[in-house]
Amino acid sequence: MSEMKEKILSVIEKNSKISIRDLAIVLGEKEEDVAKAIAEMEADDTICGYHTIINWEKTNRERIVALIEVKVTPQRISGFDHLAERIYKFPEVDSVYLMSGAFDFCIMLEGKTLREVSRFVSEKLSTLESVTSTSTHFVLKKYKEHGTEMIPDKKAERQLITP
Amino acid sequence: MRNPLGKKIVDIKPSGIRKFFDIVVEMNDPEVISLGVGEPDFDTPWHVREEGIYSLEKGRTFYTSNAGLMELKVEIDRYLKRKCGVSYDPANEILVTVGGSEAIDLAMRAMLDPGDEVILPEPCYVSYKPCVILADGVPVTIPLQEKNEFKLTAEELEAAITDKTKILVLPFPNNPTGSVMTREDLEPIAKLCIEHDIFVVSDEIYGALTYGTDHVTIASLPGMWERTVLINGFSKAYAMTGWRLGYACAPAEILAQMLKIHQFAIMCAPTTSQYAAVEAMRNGDDDVEMMREAYNQRRRFLVHTFREMGLDCFEPFGAFYIFPSIKSTGMTSDEFAEKLLKEEKVAVVPGTAFGDSGEGFLRISYAYSLEELKTATERIARFVANHRAFREQ
């Protein structure tokens, strides 16, 4: 991957709102080159999406986030990937990781109610043939997500003018 | 009652920055955005702060030796070897100070006799001149030229040298201009210093913040180590301004006298800060690199944006300032800064705060987030356009 693409990614990873024009200026590149590089990375799925980090606690929306540890018996031919797909295709599943250690998949799940989450675990997840056990943990509070502090302490401490 | 004050200090003018700071504070307007700060916007990296906390928990709350913690001085020597290719004996050639500013003061007091001349290339940081005067030296300023990108040239230096010249202050990367001196720029300067037997006080506090070119210390040039006091610190590189920690490196003969003043006036630099600084030097290279890259992006943004406004702005390759010319607006630096503050509520520092040769320029700091820089420069662009339209009427 070109150095320019690496630089683009490190900027937009933290600030996906930046315009292509500004991105070109801060990187000292030509606007059309940056636009082309981004288009290429979108096409080859290096860039998979642009999302917003939201502190839902500040809204009226009720959401429940759960972390589920899943143990499975991998299938002989398709291994873990096929199983993972069965799980991550559910829209309520936010993320799925294959893990080393005491369990196999780590799933982050979002639901509106406790019942919705428990129904997913008991009816959809546990019933998959290869799943041997699940363990569900509910998230009580998010402090930091994607490198961003959810309760930022942004008071300006600096004096207005210093030498 | 007799006059309680000494003439020397009373005669020193208060810093031009202070004057402008008072105007801003007096306005007390929450809408004011400032681009006038000379310190990083980043917090000190967490692992460094955590080490400071740990040192307090462990009860390391006593004086250190006068010259500083040995383990810190060892790290300073390693750092300078790694980054600049110069080496100092931690036992007697390194002194840990309360910020780079203390080191400047110590160097002047240790080296000057009454009447000795000190050459100061201006615009420059505000403390050199008062420190020289307080040490009974005579400041001789060289007004640096925009056409030379505010570098010091051999011709300018040679013209300023007299029989009384003892020290050249070399403040690069420069606050306020952002100018840097490359090895090629330094070579003829070093030659003159050797020829005329002049010492150099090299203030390299922004040495870690250069863009597209590595910082070169004049101490690394042949024949210069033995006549250079190298000053650096943690404030700018590691975003540690409030920890008040810097250092001076010099031949043992000079350092011993600086240590004597430090020992009587200060005792030792803050212990907590010294422990934190050890961690910064051991494991902080990545943090510096992250901040440097962020500054570099903002630097490009500002240079581009000021040029787009129709203001001349040479491309600076160090520190975190740009130094655009506002001569085309017909205003003086002070006028521009005061009107900009009143009309658009943006605080910038007039170039004249750093010496008369800063007239016609502004110091704009990019120790701010890109969002803050965008808002501020939109206001400045509107201000420039309004005044240009007014002039053309």
Side-chain angles (χ1 to χ4, degrees), chain A residues 6-33:
Chain A
E6 299 265 7
K7 290 233 155 121
I8 290 173
L9 290 177
S10 66
V11 174
I12 64 174
E13 186 193 6
K14 296 285 178 204
N15 179 11
S16 59
K17 251 176 86 181
I18 192 169
S19 67
I20 297 212
R21 180 173 183 273
D22 287 349
L23 190 55
I25 294 169
V26 300
L27 295 178
E29 302 284 352
K30 288 203 197 92
E31 214 173 311
E32 54 265 34
D33 294 346

PDB file of all heavy atoms in Angstrom, chain A residues 6-33:
ATOM      1  N   GLU A   6      -1.692   5.092   3.416  1.00  0.00           N
ATOM      2  CA  GLU A   6      -1.525   4.887   4.871  1.00  0.00           C
ATOM      3  C   GLU A   6      -1.835   6.177   5.626  1.00  0.00           C
ATOM      4  O   GLU A   6      -2.506   6.175   6.652  1.00  0.00           O
ATOM      5  CB  GLU A   6      -0.076   4.477   5.194  1.00  0.00           C
ATOM      6  CG  GLU A   6       0.381   3.194   4.552  1.00  0.00           C
ATOM      7  CD  GLU A   6       0.221   1.985   5.470  1.00  0.00           C
ATOM      8  OE1 GLU A   6      -0.363   2.148   6.558  1.00  0.00           O
ATOM      9  OE2 GLU A   6       0.671   0.888   5.071  1.00  0.00           O
ATOM     10  N   LYS A   7      -1.326   7.282   5.086  1.00  0.00           N
ATOM     11  CA  LYS A   7      -1.527   8.572   5.760  1.00  0.00           C
ATOM     12  C   LYS A   7      -3.006   8.960   5.743  1.00  0.00           C
ATOM     13  O   LYS A   7      -3.535   9.465   6.731  1.00  0.00           O
ATOM     14  CB  LYS A   7      -0.691   9.661   5.077  1.00  0.00           C
ATOM     15  CG  LYS A   7       0.805   9.490   5.315  1.00  0.00           C
ATOM     16  CD  LYS A   7       1.425  10.766   5.860  1.00  0.00           C
ATOM     17  CE  LYS A   7       2.683  10.458   6.653  1.00  0.00           C
ATOM     18  NZ  LYS A   7       3.871  11.097   6.157  1.00  0.00           N
ATOM     19  N   ILE A   8      -3.643   8.733   4.595  1.00  0.00           N
ATOM     20  CA  ILE A   8      -5.074   9.042   4.501  1.00  0.00           C
ATOM     21  C   ILE A   8      -5.836   8.270   5.572  1.00  0.00           C
ATOM     22  O   ILE A   8      -6.649   8.817   6.307  1.00  0.00           O
ATOM     23  CB  ILE A   8      -5.623   8.680   3.097  1.00  0.00           C
ATOM     24  CG1 ILE A   8      -5.073   9.649   2.051  1.00  0.00           C
ATOM     25  CG2 ILE A   8      -7.150   8.697   3.084  1.00  0.00           C
ATOM     26  CD1 ILE A   8      -5.405   9.284   0.621  1.00  0.00           C
ATOM     27  N   LEU A   9      -5.519   6.970   5.678  1.00  0.00           N
ATOM     28  CA  LEU A   9      -6.244   6.135   6.639  1.00  0.00           C
ATOM     29  C   LEU A   9      -6.026   6.624   8.063  1.00  0.00           C
ATOM     30  O   LEU A   9      -6.968   6.665   8.859  1.00  0.00           O
ATOM     31  CB  LEU A   9      -5.806   4.675   6.511  1.00  0.00           C
ATOM     32  CG  LEU A   9      -6.260   3.975   5.225  1.00  0.00           C
ATOM     33  CD1 LEU A   9      -5.707   2.563   5.182  1.00  0.00           C
ATOM     34  CD2 LEU A   9      -7.780   3.951   5.108  1.00  0.00           C
ATOM     35  N   SER A  10      -4.791   7.016   8.383  1.00  0.00           N
ATOM     36  CA  SER A  10      -4.567   7.410   9.777  1.00  0.00           C
ATOM     37  C   SER A  10      -5.303   8.709  10.100  1.00  0.00           C
ATOM     38  O   SER A  10      -5.686   8.927  11.239  1.00  0.00           O
ATOM     39  CB  SER A  10      -3.075   7.490  10.099  1.00  0.00           C
ATOM     40  OG  SER A  10      -2.493   8.528   9.380  1.00  0.00           O
ATOM     41  N   VAL A  11      -5.526   9.559   9.097  1.00  0.00           N
ATOM     42  CA  VAL A  11      -6.312  10.772   9.368  1.00  0.00           C
ATOM     43  C   VAL A  11      -7.796  10.439   9.470  1.00  0.00           C
ATOM     44  O   VAL A  11      -8.467  10.784  10.445  1.00  0.00           O
ATOM     45  CB  VAL A  11      -6.104  11.846   8.272  1.00  0.00           C
ATOM     46  CG1 VAL A  11      -7.029  13.035   8.501  1.00  0.00           C
ATOM     47  CG2 VAL A  11      -4.665  12.319   8.258  1.00  0.00           C
ATOM     48  N   ILE A  12      -8.325   9.714   8.472  1.00  0.00           N
ATOM     49  CA  ILE A  12      -9.787   9.532   8.467  1.00  0.00           C
ATOM     50  C   ILE A  12     -10.237   8.501   9.500  1.00  0.00           C
ATOM     51  O   ILE A  12     -11.403   8.465   9.851  1.00  0.00           O
ATOM     52  CB  ILE A  12     -10.343   9.187   7.056  1.00  0.00           C
ATOM     53  CG1 ILE A  12      -9.818   7.841   6.563  1.00  0.00           C
ATOM     54  CG2 ILE A  12     -10.032  10.295   6.081  1.00  0.00           C
ATOM     55  CD1 ILE A  12     -10.468   7.422   5.256  1.00  0.00           C
ATOM     56  N   GLU A  13      -9.314   7.709  10.009  1.00  0.00           N
ATOM     57  CA  GLU A  13      -9.702   6.799  11.090  1.00  0.00           C
ATOM     58  C   GLU A  13     -10.220   7.590  12.283  1.00  0.00           C
ATOM     59  O   GLU A  13     -11.127   7.167  12.991  1.00  0.00           O
ATOM     60  CB  GLU A  13      -8.498   5.945  11.524  1.00  0.00           C
ATOM     61  CG  GLU A  13      -8.896   4.890  12.543  1.00  0.00           C
ATOM     62  CD  GLU A  13      -7.718   4.228  13.230  1.00  0.00           C
ATOM     63  OE1 GLU A  13      -6.579   4.658  13.011  1.00  0.00           O
ATOM     64  OE2 GLU A  13      -7.969   3.281  13.985  1.00  0.00           O
ATOM     65  N   LYS A  14      -9.615   8.760  12.501  1.00  0.00           N
ATOM     66  CA  LYS A  14     -10.013   9.591  13.636  1.00  0.00           C
ATOM     67  C   LYS A  14     -10.988  10.685  13.226  1.00  0.00           C
ATOM     68  O   LYS A  14     -11.616  11.299  14.070  1.00  0.00           O
ATOM     69  CB  LYS A  14      -8.766  10.259  14.252  1.00  0.00           C
ATOM     70  CG  LYS A  14      -7.792   9.282  14.849  1.00  0.00           C
ATOM     71  CD  LYS A  14      -8.303   8.745  16.166  1.00  0.00           C
ATOM     72  CE  LYS A  14      -7.341   7.720  16.747  1.00  0.00           C
ATOM     73  NZ  LYS A  14      -8.018   6.801  17.657  1.00  0.00           N
ATOM     74  N   ASN A  15     -11.054  11.005  11.959  1.00  0.00           N
ATOM     75  CA  ASN A  15     -11.882  12.125  11.532  1.00  0.00           C
ATOM     76  C   ASN A  15     -12.437  11.849  10.135  1.00  0.00           C
ATOM     77  O   ASN A  15     -11.928  12.342   9.146  1.00  0.00           O
ATOM     78  CB  ASN A  15     -11.039  13.411  11.532  1.00  0.00           C
ATOM     79  CG  ASN A  15     -11.831  14.616  11.078  1.00  0.00           C
ATOM     80  OD1 ASN A  15     -13.062  14.542  10.954  1.00  0.00           O
ATOM     81  ND2 ASN A  15     -11.148  15.716  10.828  1.00  0.00           N
ATOM     82  N   SER A  16     -13.520  11.056  10.083  1.00  0.00           N
ATOM     83  CA  SER A  16     -14.047  10.695   8.765  1.00  0.00           C
ATOM     84  C   SER A  16     -14.843  11.842   8.154  1.00  0.00           C
ATOM     85  O   SER A  16     -15.231  11.796   6.999  1.00  0.00           O
ATOM     86  CB  SER A  16     -14.918   9.437   8.875  1.00  0.00           C
ATOM     87  OG  SER A  16     -15.982   9.667   9.760  1.00  0.00           O
ATOM     88  N   LYS A  17     -15.069  12.895   8.939  1.00  0.00           N
ATOM     89  CA  LYS A  17     -15.834  14.038   8.433  1.00  0.00           C
ATOM     90  C   LYS A  17     -14.994  14.978   7.572  1.00  0.00           C
ATOM     91  O   LYS A  17     -15.521  15.841   6.899  1.00  0.00           O
ATOM     92  CB  LYS A  17     -16.360  14.848   9.622  1.00  0.00           C
ATOM     93  CG  LYS A  17     -17.861  14.739   9.812  1.00  0.00           C
ATOM     94  CD  LYS A  17     -18.276  15.489  11.061  1.00  0.00           C
ATOM     95  CE  LYS A  17     -18.520  16.961  10.783  1.00  0.00           C
ATOM     96  NZ  LYS A  17     -18.911  17.681  12.013  1.00  0.00           N
ATOM     97  N   ILE A  18     -13.693  14.824   7.620  1.00  0.00           N
ATOM     98  CA  ILE A  18     -12.824  15.771   6.909  1.00  0.00           C
ATOM     99  C   ILE A  18     -13.111  15.719   5.409  1.00  0.00           C
ATOM    100  O   ILE A  18     -13.342  14.644   4.842  1.00  0.00           O
ATOM    101  CB  ILE A  18     -11.334  15.475   7.220  1.00  0.00           C
ATOM    102  CG1 ILE A  18     -10.443  16.609   6.730  1.00  0.00           C
ATOM    103  CG2 ILE A  18     -10.883  14.144   6.646  1.00  0.00           C
ATOM    104  CD1 ILE A  18      -8.993  16.521   7.219  1.00  0.00           C
ATOM    105  N   SER A  19     -13.140  16.891   4.783  1.00  0.00           N
ATOM    106  CA  SER A  19     -13.430  16.924   3.344  1.00  0.00           C
ATOM    107  C   SER A  19     -12.194  16.491   2.566  1.00  0.00           C
ATOM    108  O   SER A  19     -11.071  16.574   3.080  1.00  0.00           O
ATOM    109  CB  SER A  19     -13.824  18.340   2.934  1.00  0.00           C
ATOM    110  OG  SER A  19     -12.709  19.196   3.067  1.00  0.00           O
ATOM    111  N   ILE A  20     -12.430  16.049   1.342  1.00  0.00           N
ATOM    112  CA  ILE A  20     -11.294  15.617   0.514  1.00  0.00           C
ATOM    113  C   ILE A  20     -10.338  16.780   0.284  1.00  0.00           C
ATOM    114  O   ILE A  20      -9.122  16.627   0.290  1.00  0.00           O
ATOM    115  CB  ILE A  20     -11.807  15.051  -0.830  1.00  0.00           C
ATOM    116  CG1 ILE A  20     -12.655  13.823  -0.504  1.00  0.00           C
ATOM    117  CG2 ILE A  20     -10.650  14.774  -1.787  1.00  0.00           C
ATOM    118  CD1 ILE A  20     -12.658  12.726  -1.481  1.00  0.00           C
ATOM    119  N   ARG A  21     -10.916  17.971   0.161  1.00  0.00           N
ATOM    120  CA  ARG A  21     -10.087  19.157  -0.070  1.00  0.00           C
ATOM    121  C   ARG A  21      -9.140  19.385   1.119  1.00  0.00           C
ATOM    122  O   ARG A  21      -7.931  19.532   0.952  1.00  0.00           O
ATOM    123  CB  ARG A  21     -10.999  20.371  -0.268  1.00  0.00           C
ATOM    124  CG  ARG A  21     -10.269  21.651  -0.515  1.00  0.00           C
ATOM    125  CD  ARG A  21     -11.215  22.790  -0.870  1.00  0.00           C
ATOM    126  NE  ARG A  21     -10.413  23.972  -1.166  1.00  0.00           N
ATOM    127  CZ  ARG A  21     -10.001  24.839  -0.241  1.00  0.00           C
ATOM    128  NH1 ARG A  21     -10.350  24.660   1.013  1.00  0.00           N
ATOM    129  NH2 ARG A  21      -9.266  25.881  -0.581  1.00  0.00           N
ATOM    130  N   ASP A  22      -9.703  19.383   2.326  1.00  0.00           N
ATOM    131  CA  ASP A  22      -8.875  19.589   3.515  1.00  0.00           C
ATOM    132  C   ASP A  22      -7.867  18.463   3.703  1.00  0.00           C
ATOM    133  O   ASP A  22      -6.724  18.689   4.103  1.00  0.00           O
ATOM    134  CB  ASP A  22      -9.744  19.698   4.778  1.00  0.00           C
ATOM    135  CG  ASP A  22     -10.482  21.024   4.845  1.00  0.00           C
ATOM    136  OD1 ASP A  22     -10.153  21.913   4.043  1.00  0.00           O
ATOM    137  OD2 ASP A  22     -11.393  21.160   5.685  1.00  0.00           O
ATOM    138  N   LEU A  23      -8.314  17.264   3.403  1.00  0.00           N
ATOM    139  CA  LEU A  23      -7.427  16.108   3.535  1.00  0.00           C
ATOM    140  C   LEU A  23      -6.202  16.284   2.629  1.00  0.00           C
ATOM    141  O   LEU A  23      -5.062  16.039   3.040  1.00  0.00           O
ATOM    142  CB  LEU A  23      -8.210  14.841   3.175  1.00  0.00           C
ATOM    143  CG  LEU A  23      -7.583  13.493   3.453  1.00  0.00           C
ATOM    144  CD1 LEU A  23      -7.167  13.374   4.905  1.00  0.00           C
ATOM    145  CD2 LEU A  23      -8.566  12.381   3.107  1.00  0.00           C
ATOM    146  N   ALA A  24      -6.459  16.740   1.408  1.00  0.00           N
ATOM    147  CA  ALA A  24      -5.359  16.966   0.468  1.00  0.00           C
ATOM    148  C   ALA A  24      -4.429  18.055   0.995  1.00  0.00           C
ATOM    149  O   ALA A  24      -3.205  17.928   0.926  1.00  0.00           O
ATOM    150  CB  ALA A  24      -5.913  17.345  -0.906  1.00  0.00           C
ATOM    151  N   ILE A  25      -4.999  19.104   1.567  1.00  0.00           N
ATOM    152  CA  ILE A  25      -4.172  20.211   2.081  1.00  0.00           C
ATOM    153  C   ILE A  25      -3.301  19.732   3.239  1.00  0.00           C
ATOM    154  O   ILE A  25      -2.096  19.957   3.256  1.00  0.00           O
ATOM    155  CB  ILE A  25      -5.050  21.400   2.542  1.00  0.00           C
ATOM    156  CG1 ILE A  25      -5.770  22.021   1.355  1.00  0.00           C
ATOM    157  CG2 ILE A  25      -4.199  22.459   3.241  1.00  0.00           C
ATOM    158  CD1 ILE A  25      -6.843  23.024   1.732  1.00  0.00           C
ATOM    159  N   VAL A  26      -3.903  19.039   4.223  1.00  0.00           N
ATOM    160  CA  VAL A  26      -3.105  18.672   5.401  1.00  0.00           C
ATOM    161  C   VAL A  26      -2.042  17.637   5.060  1.00  0.00           C
ATOM    162  O   VAL A  26      -1.015  17.559   5.721  1.00  0.00           O
ATOM    163  CB  VAL A  26      -3.961  18.175   6.600  1.00  0.00           C
ATOM    164  CG1 VAL A  26      -4.936  19.241   7.042  1.00  0.00           C
ATOM    165  CG2 VAL A  26      -4.658  16.870   6.311  1.00  0.00           C
ATOM    166  N   LEU A  27      -2.273  16.836   4.021  1.00  0.00           N
ATOM    167  CA  LEU A  27      -1.271  15.834   3.655  1.00  0.00           C
ATOM    168  C   LEU A  27      -0.299  16.347   2.602  1.00  0.00           C
ATOM    169  O   LEU A  27       0.652  15.663   2.234  1.00  0.00           O
ATOM    170  CB  LEU A  27      -1.953  14.564   3.150  1.00  0.00           C
ATOM    171  CG  LEU A  27      -2.796  13.810   4.195  1.00  0.00           C
ATOM    172  CD1 LEU A  27      -3.465  12.605   3.568  1.00  0.00           C
ATOM    173  CD2 LEU A  27      -1.951  13.395   5.388  1.00  0.00           C
ATOM    174  N   GLY A  28      -0.557  17.545   2.093  1.00  0.00           N
ATOM    175  CA  GLY A  28       0.319  18.098   1.066  1.00  0.00           C
ATOM    176  C   GLY A  28       0.247  17.324  -0.240  1.00  0.00           C
ATOM    177  O   GLY A  28       1.246  17.169  -0.938  1.00  0.00           O
ATOM    178  N   GLU A  29      -0.949  16.805  -0.558  1.00  0.00           N
ATOM    179  CA  GLU A  29      -1.128  16.029  -1.798  1.00  0.00           C
ATOM    180  C   GLU A  29      -2.127  16.760  -2.698  1.00  0.00           C
ATOM    181  O   GLU A  29      -2.788  17.703  -2.289  1.00  0.00           O
ATOM    182  CB  GLU A  29      -1.689  14.635  -1.462  1.00  0.00           C
ATOM    183  CG  GLU A  29      -0.838  13.819  -0.515  1.00  0.00           C
ATOM    184  CD  GLU A  29       0.406  13.230  -1.191  1.00  0.00           C
ATOM    185  OE1 GLU A  29       0.533  13.336  -2.424  1.00  0.00           O
ATOM    186  OE2 GLU A  29       1.250  12.679  -0.463  1.00  0.00           O
ATOM    187  N   LYS A  30      -2.248  16.250  -3.955  1.00  0.00           N
ATOM    188  CA  LYS A  30      -3.229  16.846  -4.869  1.00  0.00           C
ATOM    189  C   LYS A  30      -4.618  16.276  -4.563  1.00  0.00           C
ATOM    190  O   LYS A  30      -4.761  15.084  -4.259  1.00  0.00           O
ATOM    191  CB  LYS A  30      -2.867  16.527  -6.314  1.00  0.00           C
ATOM    192  CG  LYS A  30      -1.663  17.281  -6.821  1.00  0.00           C
ATOM    193  CD  LYS A  30      -1.733  17.339  -8.362  1.00  0.00           C
ATOM    194  CE  LYS A  30      -0.400  17.706  -8.966  1.00  0.00           C
ATOM    195  NZ  LYS A  30       0.425  16.545  -9.316  1.00  0.00           N
ATOM    196  N   GLU A  31      -5.619  17.156  -4.668  1.00  0.00           N
ATOM    197  CA  GLU A  31      -6.981  16.741  -4.343  1.00  0.00           C
ATOM    198  C   GLU A  31      -7.412  15.528  -5.155  1.00  0.00           C
ATOM    199  O   GLU A  31      -7.990  14.582  -4.618  1.00  0.00           O
ATOM    200  CB  GLU A  31      -7.910  17.922  -4.599  1.00  0.00           C
ATOM    201  CG  GLU A  31      -9.079  18.000  -3.653  1.00  0.00           C
ATOM    202  CD  GLU A  31      -9.874  19.291  -3.833  1.00  0.00           C
ATOM    203  OE1 GLU A  31      -9.275  20.375  -3.868  1.00  0.00           O
ATOM    204  OE2 GLU A  31     -11.111  19.184  -3.943  1.00  0.00           O
ATOM    205  N   GLU A  32      -7.086  15.541  -6.456  1.00  0.00           N
ATOM    206  CA  GLU A  32      -7.567  14.435  -7.296  1.00  0.00           C
ATOM    207  C   GLU A  32      -6.878  13.120  -6.923  1.00  0.00           C
ATOM    208  O   GLU A  32      -7.484  12.055  -6.998  1.00  0.00           O
ATOM    209  CB  GLU A  32      -7.423  14.744  -8.794  1.00  0.00           C
ATOM    210  CG  GLU A  32      -6.032  15.150  -9.256  1.00  0.00           C
ATOM    211  CD  GLU A  32      -5.837  16.663  -9.296  1.00  0.00           C
ATOM    212  OE1 GLU A  32      -6.419  17.363  -8.427  1.00  0.00           O
ATOM    213  OE2 GLU A  32      -5.098  17.152 -10.164  1.00  0.00           O
ATOM    214  N   ASP A  33      -5.613  13.215  -6.495  1.00  0.00           N
ATOM    215  CA  ASP A  33      -4.908  11.994  -6.084  1.00  0.00           C
ATOM    216  C   ASP A  33      -5.524  11.395  -4.825  1.00  0.00           C
ATOM    217  O   ASP A  33      -5.664  10.174  -4.696  1.00  0.00           O
ATOM    218  CB  ASP A  33      -3.421  12.287  -5.816  1.00  0.00           C
ATOM    219  CG  ASP A  33      -2.683  12.678  -7.087  1.00  0.00           C
ATOM    220  OD1 ASP A  33      -3.261  12.447  -8.174  1.00  0.00           O
ATOM    221  OD2 ASP A  33      -1.570  13.221  -6.977  1.00  0.00           O
TER     222      ASP A  33
END
